[in-house]
Amino acid sequence: MTASPAGWQVTGTLAVRGTSVRLAGDAAASSQDGSATVTAHTRLDRSDLGIRAPEIMIGHAIDITVTATLRLTAQR
């Protein structure tokens, strides 16, 4: 996760059935009540992973959104 003009830039690898593809996208972070929430968005071309389906069912571009909430808790 690195700073970008739009907020944050995140990168990662998505693996499906033995095939991997690098993804990059924009992320935004917010905090409330002692927790932080990060939401990231990216777009995947399903053909990069060899996913085939009739276009009437699903387009080539798939939008992906991941939301993670982080909470700090004290350990004893």
Side-chain angles (χ1 to χ4, degrees), residues 1-72:
M1 197 167 177
T2 57
S4 72
W8 297 95
Q9 179 76 25
V10 292
T11 59
T13 302
L14 176 66
V16 176
R17 296 174 25 174
T19 302
S20 298
V21 63
R22 293 280 294 163
L23 297 175
D26 295 319
S30 63
S31 63
Q32 182 178 353
D33 299 328
S35 65
T37 300
V38 177
T39 301
H41 305 278
T42 192
R43 178 169 280 183
L44 165 70
D45 182 339
R46 65 180 170 83
S47 63
D48 290 344
L49 289 170
I51 299 171
R52 295 186 304 225
E55 284 195 43
I56 196 165
M57 292 176 62
I58 186 171
H60 279 279
I62 300 171
D63 292 323
I64 300 172
T65 300
V66 176
T67 301
T69 301
L70 311 166
R71 291 183 184 90
L72 181 60

